[in-house]
Amino acid sequence: MKTKQDLKASDKQFIWHPFTQMQDWERSAPIIISEGKGCFLRDLDGKWYLDGVSSLWVNVHGHRKKEIDRAIKAQVNKISHSTLLGLSNEPAILLAERLVKLLNAPLPAPHYARVFYSDNGSTAVEVALKMAFQYWRHTGVETKNSFLCLNNAYHGDTLGAVSVGGIDMFHKAFGPLLFRTFRAPSPFCYRCELQRHHPECGCACLGPMEEILKSHHQEIAGLIIEPLVQAAGGMIMSPPGYLKGVRELCTKYDVLMIADEVATGFGRTGRMFACEHEDVLPDIVCLSKGLTGGYLPLAATMTTDRIYSAFLGEFRDLKTFFHGHSFTGNPLGCAAALACLEIFEKERVVERLQPKVLLLKKLLGEMNGLAHVGDTRSRGLMAAVELVLDKGTREPYSWEDRIGWKVALKAREKGLLIRPLGNIIVIMPPLSITKKDLARLMSVIKESIEEVT
Ligand SMILES: *Cc1c(COP(=O)(O)O)cnc(C)c1O
């Protein structure tokens, strides 16, 4: 048996942590999680913490949710993995049918037709990009070889996903490896690239997007966007009407619209999917994170019959979609996802979320008075507090100050685990959080900001 001290030492000796300066990590006192229950995580020392960012935005119904635990165990007793290449499996079939029905449910007529499985958000995006590109080839259009994406976008860490990303700190280093894209402004009202004000501007940031499309639509296969919330870019929330405007431009210029709902899907924004807020129908939708309730790595790229049928033909036509992963359609992940969706329905999760959404908005509003809180914003149970050096000029803290990180460490002492994005405090608890725990979470954040700034 390894002791706690042994485990901490081995972690530092053997693991290379993601998005982590390991020199800092090796000098730190790492928290090692040993169990979870509901919205709480317990570390090896026996201390319990509130899981303030849903274990990196994935958890939905809480940890150790009975129904999901049971579904996975039942599936383990049958089979844990078999391939979807040339074979099929029961949970993958049932989940595909359920997902297609779920996405079509709010619509007057079916729009979505097919599910392509993969393992994570980045691969869901890779699949979407390759699908969109090849769709045009199969329909005889040879010039649409590029994509339109947004400043501040984040679509994952594989090279295709990085190519359509727009966060310099993460993405610039890989520049020479990336394919060329077109960039439209980020719909970031607090720090508007066009120096305009909403709503008087009438979503002026759609203007430069249209200019690009007007000049280059023959080169653009698809536009990829995180609907309503550019999450990793700083919880940037687009103003009402913006998303609808993007859909209209895609239609007008015959460019496929890819909605990356990896962070926003499964109730996170207060509706099942963010696109529902503006009745927008993308041509391709990427899902992951909350799909399995945050239990297992699984992703789905959903698309329409129009795109799917362009890939049909004789084998010698080479219209096959040559893409797949070892764990595509993993039965354990699909069983977890089926249980997760069952809970959404049975517990009326989205409906019962609404009072919490309002409470979060109210408590966020109360933080606006703090000296170094420049902006607060929320959409559903996704929220952010942007810390600034100077409220009047909106001058940011220098990134080297790591002000967000200091607040997170302070919150940790008070029993709350959060992970900031630079100067932005991210608040994204599991949808199952109680109002009492949500109020506690917000008061810890408020105190931590007051003590650090
Ligand atoms: C997290 C995220 C991804 C990447 O998902 P991974 O599972 O980490 O590869 C892609 N798009 C969005 C919008 C995300 O938030």
Side-chain angles (χ1 to χ4, degrees):
M1 255 297 265
K2 281 205 181 270
T3 66
K4 286 182 282 190
Q5 286 323 315
D6 290 342
L7 280 169
K8 286 181 185 177
S10 297
D11 175 288
K12 289 184 182 183
Q13 190 178 350
F14 298 114
I15 298 186
W16 189 341
H17 287 267
F19 278 97
T20 302
Q21 175 43 257
M22 290 305 291
Q23 182 172 298
D24 290 345
W25 180 270
E26 287 179 24
R27 293 170 184 161
S28 71
I31 291 183
I32 301 176
I33 299 300
S34 59
E35 70 174 273
K37 181 79 188 146
C39 295
F40 290 85
L41 301 169
R42 179 184 181 272
D43 74 6
L44 273 185
D45 300 315
K47 182 169 175 186
W48 285 91
Y49 299 88
L50 186 51
D51 187 1
V53 288
S54 300
S55 295
L56 240 300
W57 315 356
V58 298
N59 194 278
V60 180
H61 306 300
H63 300 278
R64 264 163 67 202
K65 182 77 178 169
K66 224 172 39 243
E67 292 85 346
I68 305 180
D69 287 5
R70 224 186 275 135
I72 295 171
K73 288 174 190 167
Q75 186 58 42
V76 167
N77 287 338
K78 292 186 195 163
I79 185 170
S80 293
H81 184 68
S82 63
T83 182
L84 224 55
L85 277 73
L87 294 174
S88 199
N89 73 68
E90 191 179 338
I93 296 167
L94 297 177
L95 178 61
E97 182 172 357
R98 186 145 192 169
L99 281 172
V100 169
K101 284 187 178 152
L102 178 68
L103 266 79
N104 284 326
L107 310 178
H111 172 75
Y112 300 98
R114 294 279 163 173
V115 178
F116 193 98
Y117 288 115
S118 62
D119 322 330
N120 59 70
S122 308
T123 52
V125 166
E126 297 292 330
V127 167
L129 297 173
K130 288 171 80 174
M131 221 176 235
F133 167 81
Q134 213 171 12
Y135 164 80
W136 292 110
R137 293 290 161 127
H138 290 342
T139 53
V141 180
E142 302 274 324
T143 56
K144 284 180 172 286
N145 296 332
S146 190
F147 287 88
L148 174 54
C149 51
L150 270 62
N151 290 336
N152 293 321
Y154 179 81
H155 298 290
D157 293 331
T158 52
L159 286 172
V162 170
S163 294
V164 292
I167 304 176
D168 280 352
M169 181 178 293
F170 302 165
H171 300 149
K172 213 170 178 169
F174 303 104
L177 301 178
L178 308 179
F179 57 74
R180 210 173 68 85
T181 57
F182 295 94
R183 294 298 169 91
S186 169
F188 191 4
C189 297
Y190 183 64
R191 297 189 183 281
C192 179
E193 291 176 43
L194 285 71
Q195 269 98 48
R196 300 284 298 271
H197 294 278
H198 191 79
E200 302 86 80
C201 70
C203 291
C205 48
L206 289 170
M209 180 180 275
E210 175 150 25
E211 288 307 313
I212 294 168
L213 286 165
K214 201 183 279 173
S215 313
H216 299 286
H217 65 93
Q218 281 157 336
E219 301 157 63
I220 298 174
L223 175 150
I224 182 162
I225 184 168
E226 296 158 86
L228 294 197
V229 187
Q230 290 190 294
M235 294 288 152
I236 296 163
M237 313 212 172
S238 61
Y242 174 83
L243 187 65
K244 186 124 198 134
V246 170
R247 172 68 265 186
E248 284 163 10
L249 290 177
C250 288
T251 305
K252 182 171 172 187
Y253 293 99
D254 210 10
V255 157
L256 297 177
M257 179 178 182
I258 303 168
D260 178 354
E261 291 245 21
V262 169
T264 52
F266 301 102
R268 188 47 72 181
T269 64
R271 301 281 290 266
M272 199 59 177
F273 299 104
C275 286
E276 290 175 23
H277 287 273
E278 301 199 2
D279 297 322
V280 160
L281 295 182
D283 300 286
I284 303 178
V285 179
C286 304
L287 304 172
S288 188
K289 290 204 167 102
L291 171 59
T292 60
Y295 266 58
L296 287 164
L298 182 73
T301 304
M302 314 260 315
T303 193
T304 59
D305 195 54
R306 169 188 166 198
I307 294 178
Y308 170 74
S309 52
F311 286 78
L312 300 178
E314 297 300 327
F315 185 73
R316 60 172 181 276
D317 298 339
L318 290 178
K319 287 191 166 182
T320 305
F321 189 46
F322 290 107
H323 187 107
H325 301 278
S326 308
F327 288 101
T328 294
N330 173 257
L332 290 180
C334 292
L338 280 165
C340 169
L341 293 178
E342 189 69 35
I343 294 164
F344 265 106
E345 209 173 290
K346 235 177 59 201
E347 298 188 8
R348 295 181 293 119
V349 169
V350 173
E351 194 184 318
R352 289 173 54 201
L353 194 62
Q354 305 313 317
K356 302 181 210 177
V357 170
L358 294 177
L359 177 65
L360 176 59
K361 226 183 188 64
K362 173 172 160 278
L363 296 172
L364 261 182
E366 290 171 11
M367 283 194 215
N368 279 321
L370 300 186
H372 290 278
V373 169
D375 188 33
T376 58
R377 39 189 187 260
S378 71
R379 197 83 211 223
L381 235 52
M382 274 178 121
V385 178
E386 180 158 348
L387 301 175
V388 292
L389 198 56
D390 186 317
K391 249 175 119 125
T393 61
R394 303 187 176 184
E395 185 188 346
Y397 281 96
S398 142
W399 63 272
E400 296 102 321
D401 281 347
R402 309 194 72 193
I403 190 78
W405 191 237
K406 287 175 189 160
V407 172
L409 288 177
K410 183 59 77 180
R412 183 180 283 192
E413 291 169 17
K414 300 172 191 285
L416 167 66
L417 292 178
I418 47 173
R419 187 174 169 90
L421 293 160
N423 304 335
I424 291 152
I425 307 301
V426 175
I427 301 156
M428 219 160 140
L431 304 189
S432 61
I433 193 170
T434 61
K435 281 165 95 174
K436 184 164 151 276
D437 288 334
L438 185 58
R440 168 99 192 107
L441 185 163
M442 296 302 280
S443 71
V444 168
I445 288 181
K446 188 158 179 252
E447 287 165 24
S448 304
I449 291 173
E450 281 172 327
E451 286 170 38
V452 168
T453 58

Short mmCIF file of all heavy atoms in Angstrom, two decimals, residues 56-58 119-123 125 154-158 161 226 229 231-232 260-264 286 288-289, ligand 1:
data_model
loop_
_atom_site.label_atom_id
_atom_site.label_comp_id
_atom_site.label_asym_id
_atom_site.label_seq_id
_atom_site.Cartn_x
_atom_site.Cartn_y
_atom_site.Cartn_z
N LEU A 56 -13.81 20.29 -14.60
CA LEU A 56 -13.52 20.86 -15.93
C LEU A 56 -14.71 20.76 -16.89
O LEU A 56 -14.57 20.26 -17.99
CB LEU A 56 -12.23 20.29 -16.51
CG LEU A 56 -11.15 21.33 -16.81
CD1 LEU A 56 -11.60 22.39 -17.83
CD2 LEU A 56 -10.73 22.07 -15.54
N TRP A 57 -15.86 21.25 -16.42
CA TRP A 57 -17.04 21.52 -17.26
C TRP A 57 -17.76 20.29 -17.75
O TRP A 57 -18.60 20.37 -18.64
CB TRP A 57 -16.66 22.37 -18.49
CG TRP A 57 -15.78 23.55 -18.22
CD1 TRP A 57 -15.33 24.01 -17.01
CD2 TRP A 57 -15.24 24.46 -19.19
NE1 TRP A 57 -14.55 25.12 -17.17
CE2 TRP A 57 -14.47 25.41 -18.50
CE3 TRP A 57 -15.33 24.55 -20.57
CZ2 TRP A 57 -13.79 26.45 -19.14
CZ3 TRP A 57 -14.66 25.57 -21.22
CH2 TRP A 57 -13.90 26.51 -20.51
N VAL A 58 -17.46 19.12 -17.17
CA VAL A 58 -18.06 17.91 -17.72
C VAL A 58 -19.22 17.36 -16.88
O VAL A 58 -20.18 16.82 -17.41
CB VAL A 58 -17.01 16.79 -17.95
CG1 VAL A 58 -15.97 17.23 -18.95
CG2 VAL A 58 -16.36 16.35 -16.65
N ASP A 119 -14.19 10.26 -29.29
CA ASP A 119 -13.88 10.10 -27.86
C ASP A 119 -13.87 11.38 -27.04
O ASP A 119 -13.92 11.32 -25.82
CB ASP A 119 -12.48 9.49 -27.66
CG ASP A 119 -12.13 8.44 -28.67
OD1 ASP A 119 -13.05 7.77 -29.14
OD2 ASP A 119 -10.94 8.30 -28.98
N ASN A 120 -13.73 12.53 -27.68
CA ASN A 120 -13.60 13.77 -26.89
C ASN A 120 -13.97 14.97 -27.76
O ASN A 120 -14.22 14.82 -28.96
CB ASN A 120 -12.17 13.91 -26.34
CG ASN A 120 -11.14 13.93 -27.44
OD1 ASN A 120 -11.05 14.89 -28.19
ND2 ASN A 120 -10.38 12.86 -27.57
N GLY A 121 -13.99 16.14 -27.14
CA GLY A 121 -14.43 17.33 -27.86
C GLY A 121 -13.56 17.64 -29.06
O GLY A 121 -14.06 18.02 -30.13
N SER A 122 -12.25 17.50 -28.90
CA SER A 122 -11.34 17.81 -30.00
C SER A 122 -11.59 16.91 -31.21
O SER A 122 -11.61 17.37 -32.35
CB SER A 122 -9.88 17.64 -29.56
OG SER A 122 -9.65 18.37 -28.37
N THR A 123 -11.79 15.62 -30.94
CA THR A 123 -12.02 14.71 -32.06
C THR A 123 -13.40 14.95 -32.68
O THR A 123 -13.57 14.80 -33.89
CB THR A 123 -11.86 13.24 -31.66
OG1 THR A 123 -12.68 12.98 -30.52
CG2 THR A 123 -10.43 12.89 -31.35
N VAL A 125 -14.64 17.78 -33.11
CA VAL A 125 -14.39 18.92 -33.98
C VAL A 125 -13.60 18.47 -35.23
O VAL A 125 -13.94 18.87 -36.35
CB VAL A 125 -13.65 20.04 -33.21
CG1 VAL A 125 -13.08 21.08 -34.16
CG2 VAL A 125 -14.60 20.68 -32.20
N TYR A 154 -12.18 28.52 -29.00
CA TYR A 154 -11.47 27.32 -28.54
C TYR A 154 -12.26 26.10 -28.96
O TYR A 154 -13.44 25.97 -28.62
CB TYR A 154 -11.29 27.31 -27.01
CG TYR A 154 -10.58 26.07 -26.53
CD1 TYR A 154 -9.21 25.98 -26.59
CD2 TYR A 154 -11.30 24.98 -26.06
CE1 TYR A 154 -8.55 24.83 -26.19
CE2 TYR A 154 -10.66 23.81 -25.65
CZ TYR A 154 -9.28 23.75 -25.72
OH TYR A 154 -8.63 22.60 -25.32
N HIS A 155 -11.61 25.21 -29.70
CA HIS A 155 -12.30 24.01 -30.16
C HIS A 155 -11.54 22.73 -29.84
O HIS A 155 -11.86 21.67 -30.37
CB HIS A 155 -12.56 24.10 -31.67
CG HIS A 155 -13.45 25.25 -32.05
ND1 HIS A 155 -14.78 25.28 -31.73
CD2 HIS A 155 -13.18 26.44 -32.67
CE1 HIS A 155 -15.31 26.43 -32.17
NE2 HIS A 155 -14.36 27.15 -32.73
N GLY A 156 -10.51 22.83 -28.99
CA GLY A 156 -9.77 21.63 -28.61
C GLY A 156 -8.29 21.76 -28.95
O GLY A 156 -7.85 22.80 -29.46
N ASP A 157 -7.54 20.71 -28.66
CA ASP A 157 -6.09 20.78 -28.72
C ASP A 157 -5.43 19.95 -29.81
O ASP A 157 -4.21 19.97 -29.95
CB ASP A 157 -5.49 20.38 -27.37
CG ASP A 157 -5.83 21.41 -26.31
OD1 ASP A 157 -5.99 22.59 -26.68
OD2 ASP A 157 -5.95 21.05 -25.13
N THR A 158 -6.19 19.20 -30.59
CA THR A 158 -5.58 18.52 -31.73
C THR A 158 -5.34 19.57 -32.82
O THR A 158 -5.93 20.66 -32.77
CB THR A 158 -6.51 17.41 -32.24
OG1 THR A 158 -7.80 17.96 -32.46
CG2 THR A 158 -6.61 16.28 -31.21
N ALA A 161 -8.27 21.25 -34.65
CA ALA A 161 -9.03 22.09 -33.70
C ALA A 161 -8.24 23.34 -33.34
O ALA A 161 -8.82 24.43 -33.19
CB ALA A 161 -9.37 21.28 -32.45
N GLU A 226 -18.66 28.44 -31.25
CA GLU A 226 -19.21 27.99 -29.98
C GLU A 226 -20.48 28.81 -29.76
O GLU A 226 -20.39 30.01 -29.51
CB GLU A 226 -18.23 28.27 -28.83
CG GLU A 226 -16.91 27.52 -28.90
CD GLU A 226 -15.82 28.23 -28.08
OE1 GLU A 226 -15.73 27.99 -26.87
OE2 GLU A 226 -15.07 29.03 -28.67
N VAL A 229 -21.70 31.03 -26.07
CA VAL A 229 -20.62 31.27 -25.12
C VAL A 229 -19.29 30.77 -25.67
O VAL A 229 -19.13 29.58 -25.92
CB VAL A 229 -20.88 30.56 -23.77
CG1 VAL A 229 -19.83 30.96 -22.75
CG2 VAL A 229 -22.27 30.86 -23.24
N ALA A 231 -16.28 29.72 -24.49
CA ALA A 231 -16.01 29.33 -23.11
C ALA A 231 -14.54 29.53 -22.73
O ALA A 231 -14.21 30.42 -21.93
CB ALA A 231 -16.48 27.91 -22.88
N ALA A 232 -13.64 28.73 -23.30
CA ALA A 232 -12.24 28.79 -22.88
C ALA A 232 -11.61 30.14 -23.23
O ALA A 232 -10.61 30.54 -22.63
CB ALA A 232 -11.46 27.65 -23.52
N ASP A 260 -20.11 24.09 -32.23
CA ASP A 260 -19.35 23.33 -31.24
C ASP A 260 -20.05 23.50 -29.89
O ASP A 260 -19.80 24.46 -29.17
CB ASP A 260 -17.91 23.83 -31.20
CG ASP A 260 -17.08 23.12 -30.15
OD1 ASP A 260 -17.64 22.31 -29.39
OD2 ASP A 260 -15.85 23.39 -30.09
N GLU A 261 -20.95 22.56 -29.60
CA GLU A 261 -21.72 22.60 -28.33
C GLU A 261 -21.05 21.75 -27.26
O GLU A 261 -21.70 21.29 -26.32
CB GLU A 261 -23.16 22.13 -28.57
CG GLU A 261 -24.01 23.07 -29.42
CD GLU A 261 -25.19 23.69 -28.64
OE1 GLU A 261 -25.13 23.72 -27.39
OE2 GLU A 261 -26.14 24.15 -29.30
N VAL A 262 -19.75 21.54 -27.41
CA VAL A 262 -19.04 20.66 -26.46
C VAL A 262 -19.16 21.20 -25.03
O VAL A 262 -19.42 20.45 -24.09
CB VAL A 262 -17.56 20.49 -26.87
CG1 VAL A 262 -16.75 19.83 -25.77
CG2 VAL A 262 -17.47 19.67 -28.16
N ALA A 263 -19.03 22.52 -24.87
CA ALA A 263 -19.15 23.10 -23.52
C ALA A 263 -20.58 23.50 -23.20
O ALA A 263 -21.01 23.43 -22.04
CB ALA A 263 -18.23 24.32 -23.38
N THR A 264 -21.33 23.95 -24.21
CA THR A 264 -22.65 24.53 -23.96
C THR A 264 -23.78 23.51 -23.95
O THR A 264 -24.89 23.83 -23.49
CB THR A 264 -22.97 25.60 -25.03
OG1 THR A 264 -22.77 25.00 -26.33
CG2 THR A 264 -22.09 26.82 -24.89
N CYS A 286 -21.27 19.47 -32.65
CA CYS A 286 -20.28 18.69 -31.91
C CYS A 286 -20.69 18.61 -30.44
O CYS A 286 -20.95 19.64 -29.82
CB CYS A 286 -18.90 19.33 -31.99
SG CYS A 286 -18.34 19.59 -33.68
N SER A 288 -19.78 16.67 -26.53
CA SER A 288 -18.94 15.79 -25.70
C SER A 288 -19.16 16.17 -24.23
O SER A 288 -20.30 16.21 -23.80
CB SER A 288 -17.47 15.89 -26.12
OG SER A 288 -16.71 14.92 -25.44
N LYS A 289 -18.10 16.53 -23.52
CA LYS A 289 -18.17 16.93 -22.09
C LYS A 289 -19.36 16.35 -21.31
O LYS A 289 -19.22 15.32 -20.70
CB LYS A 289 -18.13 18.46 -21.99
CG LYS A 289 -16.75 19.00 -22.37
CD LYS A 289 -16.45 20.35 -21.76
CE LYS A 289 -14.98 20.69 -21.90
NZ LYS A 289 -14.66 21.63 -22.96
C1 LIG B 1 -13.45 21.50 -24.01
C2 LIG B 1 -13.82 21.93 -25.38
C3 LIG B 1 -13.37 21.24 -26.51
C4 LIG B 1 -12.35 20.14 -26.43
O1 LIG B 1 -12.83 19.02 -25.78
P1 LIG B 1 -11.78 17.93 -25.22
O2 LIG B 1 -12.67 16.84 -24.74
O3 LIG B 1 -11.02 18.61 -24.15
O4 LIG B 1 -10.92 17.54 -26.36
C5 LIG B 1 -13.84 21.62 -27.74
N1 LIG B 1 -14.69 22.64 -27.86
C6 LIG B 1 -15.16 23.32 -26.81
C7 LIG B 1 -16.13 24.43 -27.02
C8 LIG B 1 -14.73 23.01 -25.53
O5 LIG B 1 -15.13 23.73 -24.47
#
